[in-house]
Amino acid sequence: MAAGRARRLLGSLWIALILGQPDPAGAAARSGSQSLLTGSLVRTFTPFYFLVEPMDILSVRGASVIMNCSAYCETSPKIEWKKDGTLLNLVSDDRRQLLPDGSLLINSVVHSKHNKPDEGYYQCVATVESLGTIVSRTAKLTVAGLPRFTSQPESSSVYKGNSAILNCEVNVDLAPFVRWEQDRQPVFLDDRVFKLPSGALIISNATDMDGGLYRCIIESGGTPKYSDEAELKILPDPEVPQNLMFVRQPSSLTKVTGQSAVFPCVAVGFPAPYIRWTRNEELITEGYERFLLLAGGSLEISDVTEEDVGTYTCIADNGNETIEAQAELTVQVPPEFLKQPANIYAHESMDIVFECEVTGKPTPTVKWVKNGDMVIPSDYFKIVKEHNLQVLGLVKSDEGFYQCIAENDVGNAQAGAQLIILDLAPATTGPLPSAPRDVVATLVSTRFIRLTWRTPVSDPQGDNLTYSIFYTKEGINRERVENTSRPGETQVTIQNLMPETVYVFRVVAQNKHGPGESSVPLKVATQPEVQLPGPAPNIRAYASSPTSVTVTWETPLSGNGEIQNYKLYYMEKGQDTEQDVDVGGLSYTINGLKKYTEYSFRVVAYNKHGPGVSTQDVVVRTLSDVPSAPPQNLTLEVRNSKSIMLHWQPPPAGTHSGQITGYKIRYRKVSRKSDVTESIGGTQLFQLIEGLERGTEYSFRVAALTVNGTGPATDWISAETFESDLDETRVPEVPSSLHVRPLVTSIVVSWTPPENQNIVVRGYAIGYGIGSPHAQTIKVDYKQRYYTIENLDPSSHYVITLKAFNNVGEGIPLYESAVTRPHSVPDPSPMMPPVGVQASILSHDTIRITWADNSLPKNQKITDARYYTVRWKTNIPANTKYKTANATTLSYLVTGLKPNTLYEFSVMVTKGRRSSTWSMTAHGTTFELVPTSPPKDVTVVSKEGKPRTIIVNWQPPSEANGKITGYIIYYSTDVNAEIHDWVIEPVVGNRLTHQIQELTLDTPYYFKIQARNSKGMGPMSEAVQFRTPKASGSAGKGSRPVDIGPDYKPPLGGSNSPHGSPTSPLDSNMLLVIIVSVGVITIVIVVIVAVFCTRRTTSHQKKKRAACKSVNGSHKYKGNSKDVKPPDLWIHHERLELKPIDKSPDPNPIMTDTPIPRNSQDITPVDNSMDSNIHQRRNSYRGHESEDSMSTLAGRRGMRPKMMMPFDSQPPQPVISAHPIHSLDNPHHHFHSGSLASPTRSYLHHQVNPWPIGTSMSHSDRANSTESVRNTPSTDTMPASSSQTCADHQDPESATGSYLANAQEEDSAQNLPTAHVRPSHPLKSFAVPAVPPAGSTYDPALPSTPLLTQQAPNHPVHSVKTASIGTLGRTRPPMPVVVPSAPDVQETTRMLEDSEGNYEPDELTKEMAHLEGLMKDLNAITTA
């Protein structure tokens, strides 16, 4: 079909050439032509347009509104209406109905505070079947709000003949519904009584009849709303003149062309003032047709045009004085078409352009609509030359009506045109060419392809053949055509292609009879283009308020890959600190800017390859506002008995908030504070106030003015006029001082006035010359106190004289001399740049820069006034802004840098007026820092088909400050719970999703996420709530596990974690089998070794028993197996530290190194397969948590911070010792080295069965067990250790819970240290027997010895210390360690006596003697 369509097109082109008609492409661009080609099936354009379009309407509640619309077409069009872009269903609407002419009738407009169904934007849509659709302009229906007064009239008085104003401010949309009453009777408006657009009433040339009670009424439908009544009093003419003052000044206006503008201006005084107006300092006379002077002096401009823009000044004059007030008029223009789209004929595969030129103020935006639907720009529909629409590769479906819609803040307009795609007539009879041969792509680039081919077989010469090349993207049915430039040419270059895109090409030859056969389609892929985005075109910035600027731009035309986001950079003009913000769209509004301040903006686009080319800076100034600070340095200078001169300085820089247009001066007598006089002056910084009374104290204050209004005023400052005027009957006296400061070609002269202030000084005369002061004379004002004499000769002696003068003459001169400085010639030789620039990274935000200076001596000592300038920036292409700093040494510390960022640095040297070039750059990347922002966009969704499984998704933190190494998910059913009571889910790596399983159905959960990098954890995100779905049948296999209490904590193995574990049930069973098997094998090996060791000789046993006794006569109990030979113990004492255990459950990630369980269920079996995870296990779950960390709510309770013990402080006797902090119930119970139960002697024990025999102990039980630990007899037994002591055998019944009581006591009443050993030396350490897995039972046949024979209550252990013990070449998981408390002396003695009977002289072995020697060596090392 495509080939046939091409042959028809080429046939038409051939006919056009024969008949001398223009090319179709050229004809397509010409509007209004009735026939494109002879032989085409011509159709005429159908007139289809709007006769009437809807207009903006202001209505009130309950009223009826008609939105007019009427469209013309030969076939009657179907009319529909859109409100706010959505089609209205008028069939079932009882209030809105379609009138026969297409207008929309809205009966009884509905409008309330929370229900506004009728207010909005309406658009008329006209459709003709088989022809197309057009849309009208958009009209706004505004419904007046509820009647409300923003200000009400106040009682006032006015002199007869003056003007009065009564305020009644209402909402703008209610102003047309305001009327006035005087003494409850309507006020009739005329030339003397006038109502302002705001609702205020102006009465000019007041008479006695104008006195009375006034009120304003709002009648907007429904019950009228009345304001308060205010009394207007008419006063008789005063006997003395009254100062002029404005009671209403004009304010700046913004109007739309065609509207009316009213500048109010009301002034009072006696005599009554006369008002006149100027525009741009040109007097407005009666010759101005559209200008009318209203009552009281207000100015009305009807039918405003753009020529009316300018500054309007109201001048009030009563013969005695004149006052002025200014206001600006800004005119906005709705969109108007300079060039409307034209109807176009075209054929398929052609390219066309609809032209559209608009104007308006503000500049309108343009969008295109085809048959009522928005045209979205694409590869084939493009906006070119700002407003024109280009359609490439026409297809039949492109036919229809296209409308150009222009819109700005004050209006919108539309203009349309019709596109007709003609069908082609068949070609003439005669032989047609065959298909071109061997079509190949001889040159393939990223954006163009060159094709070559051979002539057809039917015409080997091919001199008279022309060729058309049809091409399209693969999979796209829009085909474009490119013709060869001259007959016989067999190559063509196709331009403007897209990179890395497959195109399909075919070539058709044509002769005088028409187009021939098409060649076989050729697929060619353009080259990929790894290119960063180009600059974003058409970047614009405009101020939207005094503190905000809106920046818009368009998508970059160049660049490979979709634009991911934009970065908008902005900077205050004159500053060097650039800020940036990430933007996802094509516009952004920046708030919080300074008022009336220039800012520069630029945009950088980012794609998958990185940042692109920055746009040029655009500069815009924020809008003006009233000044935010008062003028500065207000001073008063009493001139004479009737005048005072005011001087001041403008408000501080940065507080003007606009262009200062003048200053308002208010003054009053100190004795009469209520009588204030106001005077408005120009931009000069002084004002002479005349007509004051003699010997009277006045107060003055000044405020700055902008076009937006009056800023804050200064404080009141007072001065008193003279009783009599200054003397000017004689010349002034000599000035009191004269100072000179010579420069090279100038001398600065300063002085002070004469001491006698009673003589008038009109000015000062300065005479100067070489050797004589009479060469030249300069006169300055009397206020001036310094002057600079310019254009002098260097190295010359000048004599200077100063005299004060007045109208009588000059006074006595004062002389001074000075010698100008010699002229210095700068050294032309350039400076050498610094060398050897190096960047040393000190922290995450600090880098030290060092360098050398070859122009200094070898010792690099700086002896002159040179200084160095260091500059730096981030090493990314988009950043071109440098920061600089000066240094006087050969190094500089750069601070305030961003973490984990690559910076480049360079240095230059400056000496006097000479500077070097910049040195070679040095680079440095700052260290990482913990994330300073939480993960973003945290969402929780339920997994489909698994209601008890949820999926948590999130985005990385904005400020990662390094590579994210993992996340921690916290969740809980109580959002107010302490964070250590939340369940924890670790996520390793940079994954952004995680599953959590086995949640409770129909339960609200709260989720928080924390990111971590190599430096630690960042802040948590805000809590996100998610409620699991309700149960719907079976939730899966099996049922929910039985709740075994809040203190249940499963083993550390990840296979038993019900939440978030990826392990299948099969994997869990397999892992359980492996753990049980390893445990059984370990028990068998321990039994065999124990049996073997008990058969040692008697002499060995004696030596072993001797080794068990302490040096001081006390017994040392060892917790190792009886006859297992222990390796050497190595403890790296430099890495041990002593820290107190905090009783609070808060897990401090810094202090917590080994988790300390709350109860005996927290003690988990240790598997040797987890040796590699010892580093993660030593860290807290808030720091670096391993993958197999526990996931249940009960198993994630708060853990205690551990205690590190320094071995440097230990005496030489013990192996490992921990100092207990004695309980509060026995504050005087102290222990010392050498006592019966030395606190320096603690023992390593490894439990066989970590699971308690009793039930879990509640918090209250644990808290109340402190006092009864030592004396309560125990009815339950608990094995103390799996290791064997020196005794042959001990009855298991005597192995009571020896350390249970101590563990309970330390949990509830003591802060005990924990010994924690980190292997860091290649020596041997104690071999730790493996602990059987959970579920294994304790065999009482195995010998065991208690550490301390103490009675304990029937409670399980609540706290067990753990110590990590390393072996040669590998690390082990932490093992439980019990640190006993010192019992009472009587109990200790009894315990030692009982235990001593268990030792026999033949139980010692050579191995234990060897161990004792090793212990001595170790103690010597740790105490060295």
Side-chain angles (χ1 to χ4, degrees), residues 47-51 70-75 77 134:
F48 187 19
Y49 53 88
F50 285 102
L51 296 171
S70 177
Y72 170 79
C73 187
E74 296 173 355
T75 303
I134 58 175

Side-chain angles (χ1 to χ4, degrees), residues 23 121 366 369 412 462 621 815 925 937 1214 1232 1325 1332 1369 1394 1401:
D23 181 79
Y121 292 89
V366 169
V369 172
N412 62 91
R621 185 187 294 273
Y815 291 90
T925 303
D937 304 335
H1232 304 280
S1325 64
D1394 294 342

Side-chain angles (χ1 to χ4, degrees), residues 1246-1258:
H1246 311 287
Q1247 274 187 281
V1248 175
N1249 182 10
W1251 307 104
I1253 298 174
T1255 59
S1256 298
M1257 177 182 180
S1258 66

